[in-house]
Amino acid sequence: QLQESGKELLSDTETEGLIFYHMDLYGSKERFDIFPEEPSGRGDRSLGDTRRESAPSSEKVQRPQEVGYDLEKEVAELAKMYGLDEDREKELELLGGHLEKVERLQGGLSSGGMSDEWNSQAVSEEEVEEEEEEEEAADVFCSTCKIPIRAFDKLFGEHKDHEVAQLPSAVESEKEEIHKNMFKLEEQIAQMENVASHLEEIFITVEENFGRQEQNFEVHYNDAVQVLAQKYEEQLEALGEEKRQKLEALYEQLVSCGKHLDTCKELTDETQELFLENDKAEFMKVKKFLKQEVNLELSTLPDFEERTIDVSEVEQLMNSINAIPAPCAPVINPQAPNAATGTSLRVCWGLFSDDTVECYQLCYQPVTQNCSFFYFLAPSPPIIKNKKIQSCENAALVCWESRDINPVDSYTVELSKLTDEENDDIITESIIGIPNCEVLIHLQPTQKYHICVRAQNLGGSSERSEPVLIHTTGTCFYLNEDTAHPLLAILDDGFTISCDELENPECDLPVYDNSFTRCIAILGSLIPFPGRHYWEVEVEEDTEYRVGVAFENTPRHGHLGANNSSWCMRHIITPSRHKYEFLHSGMTPDIRITVPPRRIGILLDYENCRLSFFNADIAQHLHTFNSHFQHYVHPCFALETPGILRIHTGITTPPWTALP
C-alpha cells in the first residue's frame, strides 16, 4: 500500500509540476514538513491516512504554480540584474541537477517510508551536495559579508538579501582600497619617522644644552671660587698690614717707655746725690725736668677692626649660573622675490650657532623716502682668488675680494657638484650669511665642484662671481710669495721655484717683512684641515735642497730644520756620496739612502702626529718624524744650490704610504 501511495504521489507531482526548495531545507528539521516520516511500529496505518497526509504536501507543491510562479523567469531576471547572463545556462544546469535530486528523494518514499534507510540516504545526499558545493568556484563577491560566494548562494542561499558585485570589479575595488590603506600607512610611517627624527634632535639638543650648562656652571663656579680666593687674600693682606702697624706702634711705645724708665732711674740717683750735696742750682734743673709730662697712654689698641667680606660679586656670579647666556645675533637672509605685498613682508633669518633660543624679537621702523636706504644698489659680483684656494679630500678654503663701493652686508657661497649626468648650473648647496671674505666648506671626497660667490646688501643680491673648479682628490695649497727669499723665483705655473745664483744669499734686494733672509726658502699656505695630507716634490739629482713643514713663526733668519719649529729632509752632495739628513732642532738620525729619490712624497698626518718621507718612484719609505703638532703647519721648500723644485699637489694619497 505504501508503494502504491508513493507511486500515486509521484504521479501527481509529475502531472501537476514541482516547486524547488532550497537545499538547506533538506538538512534541517523542516524537511519533515514536506516529507512526513512514518513512525516505526505503526504499520497498521491505512492507505487512506497516507493519502490524507500526502494531500497537504501536494497542496504545497501546487500552490506556487497556481499563483503563476515561474522559476526560470525569476532566475533570468536575477541573473540580468547582477550581470550573470553568461552564467545563466550553468545555473540552469545546476537547478536541473537539484530538481533531479528532489525527484530521487521523493521516489524514496516508495521504498518503505521514513525508515533508518531513508535517514542514511538523506545524510549521504547531503554530504555529496556539500562536496559539490566545495568543488564549485566562487564567481561573485558579497559586499555585505566581504567574501567571495557563488551566484547560486546569492539566488537561493544565505546571501539572498545581501548586496553582491562581480568578482573582477570587487577585486579591483579591494586592490584600490588596499592601495589607499598602504598609502595611508606609508604616510603614518613617514610621520612616525619624522617624529622619531624630531625626538632624536631634541635628545641631542638636550645633551648639548646640558653640556653647555655644565660648562657654564663650571666657569661660574671657578669664577666664584677665584673671586672668593681674591677676597680672602685681600682681607688677609689687610689684616696682616693692620697687625704690622699695631705691633710697630706698640714696639715704638715700648722702646720709648724703656728710655723714659732709664732716664727716670738716672734722675732719681742724681737727685739723691744733689739732695745730699745741697746744690740748689742743679736741683732746680732736675725739678724742671720732672715737671715734663710723659705720655703713658697706649699708642694703639689691641683690638682689631671688625672686617666683613663683600660677597655681592660672588652672589651675582652664583645667581647667574642658572641664567642662559644671550645667543648670537641672527643673520637676516636677502629679500626673496615676491616676498613683499602692499601690507606685509616676509622676513627670513638664520642662526649660525648652537645657542639655545626660546623666541625671536623682530624690530622695524618706518623710513621716509629721503632715507638713504632707498638708494642702495646691489653690489657687484665678488672676485674669487683662484691662487689662494686650498682644498683637501673633504674640505676647501675659498677666499675672495669685493671691489665695490657699495656696502656689503654678507656673502653667499653656492656649490654645484659636477657629474656626467647633472648640469653644472644646478645649485646643490648654498651657504648664506657669511660675514667675511673667506669660508671653510665641507665637501665629499673624489668629487668636482663649481663654486661661486654672491654679495648681499639692502639693495639685493649681486650676480654670481666667476666660478672656480675644485677637485677633492687630494690636498691643494699655494706658495706664499711674501715669504720667499729675494733670490727665489716662482714660475708662471705657481708651483715651480728656481734659484739661479747663490753668490750673495744675504743680498741687499728688497724683501718683505715676512721673507726669509738667510735660507733661500719659501713657505706654502697653511694646511688648516685635520687628517692626512700628501704632496710630492720633483727634484734634480745634482740639486741640494730642503723640503718639509714648518710653523708660521719659524725664524726667517735661520735654516729650515735647525730649530724646533720646522722639520725637513735635506740633500747635500759630498765628495764621496749623496747625503740625506732628516733635521729637527739641528739633529738628524744616521740614515743612508742608496737610491737617490727623484720624486719625494711627503705625508703629513695630523691625527697620528707623523711626518713621513717617501721615494715615490719606488714606493720606498725613507723616514718618519713622530711629533705632536701643536698648531697647523706650512709646507716649506728651500734651495741650497742653483736649481729648481717642482711641487705637485692635489694627488690622491697612495696606498703604500700607510705605515703600521
Side-chain angles (χ1 to χ4, degrees), residues 21 90 115 137 197 213 266 370-371 381 395 541:
Y21 284 85
K90 180 179 178 181
S115 60
S197 177
Q213 286 293 90
E266 293 176 358
N370 296 328
C371 181
E541 188 174 354

Side-chain angles (χ1 to χ4, degrees), residues 514-560:
N514 200 28
S515 300
F516 284 92
T517 58
R518 184 176 181 183
C519 179
I520 304 178
I522 188 174
L523 294 180
S525 60
L526 187 71
I527 301 180
F529 315 111
R532 304 172 74 228
H533 306 278
Y534 179 81
W535 64 94
E536 294 180 354
V537 182
E538 188 177 347
V539 300
E540 296 179 349
E541 188 174 354
D542 57 349
T543 301
E544 297 182 357
Y545 55 84
R546 299 183 188 218
V547 294
V549 298
F551 287 140
E552 172 68 29
N553 61 351
T554 189
R556 302 298 194 261
H557 59 277
H559 289 280
L560 297 176

Side-chain angles (χ1 to χ4, degrees), residues 263-282:
T263 302
C264 290
K265 289 181 179 180
E266 293 176 358
L267 288 174
T268 301
D269 296 339
E270 186 176 355
T271 300
Q272 290 179 354
E273 292 177 358
L274 292 175
F275 181 78
L276 294 175
E277 294 176 358
N278 198 15
D279 188 352
K280 295 183 178 180
E282 292 297 331

Side-chain angles (χ1 to χ4, degrees), residues 332 334-335 372-374 376-379 407-409 456-461:
I332 297 180
Q335 180 177 339
S372 59
F373 287 116
F374 286 96
F376 271 134
L377 299 177
V408 176
D409 295 334
Q456 282 87 22
N457 63 10
L458 292 178
S461 175

Side-chain angles (χ1 to χ4, degrees), residues 385-417:
K385 300 178 182 179
N386 293 345
K387 294 184 178 181
K388 302 295 184 180
I389 294 178
Q390 301 171 248
S391 63
C392 64
E393 293 183 352
N394 52 21
L397 181 63
V398 182
C399 305
W400 60 87
E401 59 183 358
S402 177
R403 299 178 180 178
D404 203 315
I405 60 174
N406 296 320
V408 176
D409 295 334
S410 63
Y411 297 91
T412 298
V413 174
E414 298 177 346
L415 289 77
S416 303
K417 184 187 295 185

Side-chain angles (χ1 to χ4, degrees), residues 388 479-485 490 511-516 522-523 556:
K388 302 295 184 180
L479 299 177
N480 283 336
E481 297 182 7
D482 58 345
T483 63
H485 189 277
I490 304 175
V511 297
Y512 297 101
D513 295 337
N514 200 28
S515 300
F516 284 92
I522 188 174
L523 294 180
R556 302 298 194 261

